[in-house]
Amino acid sequence: MRKNILITGASSGLGAGMARIFAAKGHNLALTARRLDRLEALKAELLTAHGDIDVEVYALDVNDHNQVFEVFKKATKDLGGLDRVIVNAGLGKGGRIGTGRFEANRETAMTNFVAALAQCEAAMEHFYERKAGHLVVISSMSAMRGMPGSMNTYAATKAGIAHLAEGIRSDLIGRKDHDIVVTTIYPGYIASEMNEKVGQEQRLMVGTDTGCRELVKAINKEPVDAAVPQWPWAALGVVMKNAPLSVVRRMV
Ligand SMILES: NC(=O)c1ccc[n+]([C@@H]2O[C@H](COP(=O)([O-])OP(=O)(O)OC[C@H]3O[C@@H](n4cnc5c(N)ncnc54)[C@H](OP(=O)(O)O)[C@@H]3O)[C@@H](O)[C@H]2O)c1
């Protein structure tokens, strides 16, 4: 069992949902986000329901890269080592390239890619030291192809972190003296703050609880990668990878 789990972006949506399920399974948690009040409330809720676990919370803006390393070190000390890190914090802002939305696109690129790189660096430093650990990167089904309009930068960052994870996996090939696993998760549509505006209209959207249960189930199997929920997203992923771009752009 990967007992001690750090989750970034745990103040809402998938991060908070996964925290609730891992807590119920007896995991100790280090939870980070900018909204510390949300994390404190979640901590109180989890400790009331499951008194026998440790839950630590940390204010962290993942775009403050020094703070990422500091908070990961502090969490490592507080929990007595990290067994799994879930790189989850993310942002869905953006606009069609060339329409004056550079600031929103840049913010998404920095948060979803450069800050995820900092989180992977901090996690892997610790895992290499311990020769053990599970790095989980939350990508997106949108990573399958280049996406149009406001999805463009977001999808590119999610493809970027999936490649980052694959590169780390490649670094581990042939190193026999460790138990380090790297998993890339490709969520489909799971209800959260990020997509609450499109929620009602999106036919393939699943509720937060259902989606997070599927996420935890997939993560605990420690696969190389997984589409979540598996149905219909694993099959749709094959279509998205192979269909003409003119078809793919109508699927999102
Ligand atoms: N929901 C879906 O359908 C779906 C599909 C594919 C992929 N994903 C991915 O799943 C992850 C979680 O998203 P969600 O759907 O749960 O959305 P959400 O409810 O908006 O949660 C996003 C989380 O990221 C944190 N965050 C954002 N910017 C941050 C920053 N600069 N520093 C630290 N934390 C930051 C937020 O916390 P604070 O604001 O408190 O800092 C929040 O906890 C994201 O990476 C997203 O791209 C979601």
Side-chain angles (χ1 to χ4, degrees):
M1 184 187 186
R2 307 278 189 184
K3 182 84 176 169
N4 298 343
I5 303 179
L6 183 149
I7 306 174
T8 64
S11 59
S12 65
L14 279 45
M18 288 189 284
R20 288 189 174 94
I21 296 166
F22 282 124
K25 291 181 183 292
H27 292 268
N28 299 319
L29 296 171
L31 306 176
T32 83
R34 291 166 301 181
R35 290 172 292 179
L36 189 58
D37 54 332
R38 294 278 201 104
L39 295 179
E40 295 283 9
L42 181 58
K43 174 179 176 173
E45 174 197 323
L46 298 180
L47 290 181
T48 303
H50 320 285
D52 51 342
I53 60 167
D54 190 357
V55 180
E56 303 290 339
V57 296
Y58 309 90
L60 171 62
D61 181 338
V62 291
N63 288 316
D64 181 340
H65 305 140
N66 289 336
Q67 206 193 3
V68 169
F69 289 91
E70 280 163 21
V71 165
F72 276 43
K73 281 207 176 79
K74 175 99 174 60
T76 299
K77 204 161 157 231
D78 292 346
L79 289 190
L82 300 175
D83 302 305
R84 176 179 286 155
V85 170
I86 305 182
V87 179
N88 171 73
L91 195 68
K93 278 189 193 171
R96 184 155 63 88
I97 304 290
T99 60
R101 298 298 311 281
F102 174 66
E103 282 309 319
N105 288 330
R106 189 179 64 99
E107 199 184 330
T108 293
M110 292 302 292
T111 306
N112 293 6
F113 185 73
V114 181
L117 167 63
Q119 293 162 68
C120 289
E121 295 264 14
M124 287 306 295
E125 272 179 25
H126 179 55
F127 293 164
Y128 279 135
E129 227 167 75
R130 306 182 90 198
K131 295 187 164 48
H134 185 201
L135 176 67
V136 180
V137 166
I138 304 295
S139 175
S140 161
M141 285 304 298
S142 66
M144 297 297 142
R145 293 291 287 278
M147 293 292 160
S150 61
M151 289 280 289
N152 191 339
T153 304
Y154 177 81
T157 64
K158 293 300 184 178
I161 61 166
H163 272 239
L164 200 64
E166 185 169 60
I168 299 168
R169 216 176 283 125
S170 186
D171 282 336
L172 295 167
I173 290 175
R175 295 173 68 125
K176 301 274 183 239
D177 59 335
H178 67 82
D179 169 29
I180 304 175
V181 177
V182 182
T183 294
T184 307
I185 296 290
Y186 298 97
Y189 293 121
I190 300 171
S192 74
E193 283 183 11
M194 187 179 285
N195 52 32
E196 61 193 358
K197 289 194 192 89
V198 294
Q200 299 306 314
E201 302 133 39
Q202 186 41 257
R203 278 180 300 122
L204 298 179
M205 180 84 74
V206 296
T208 314
D209 290 350
T210 304
C212 290
R213 264 198 307 277
E214 294 295 316
L215 284 170
V216 168
K217 211 196 308 169
I219 288 169
N220 278 341
K221 289 183 189 154
E222 305 197 2
V224 165
D225 52 35
V228 179
Q230 194 189 17
W231 175 260
W233 293 103
L236 279 177
V238 176
V239 176
M240 289 170 82
K241 273 192 183 145
N242 295 290
L245 201 53
S246 55
V247 173
V248 173
R249 75 188 304 279
R250 289 202 300 272
M251 294 175 73
V252 295

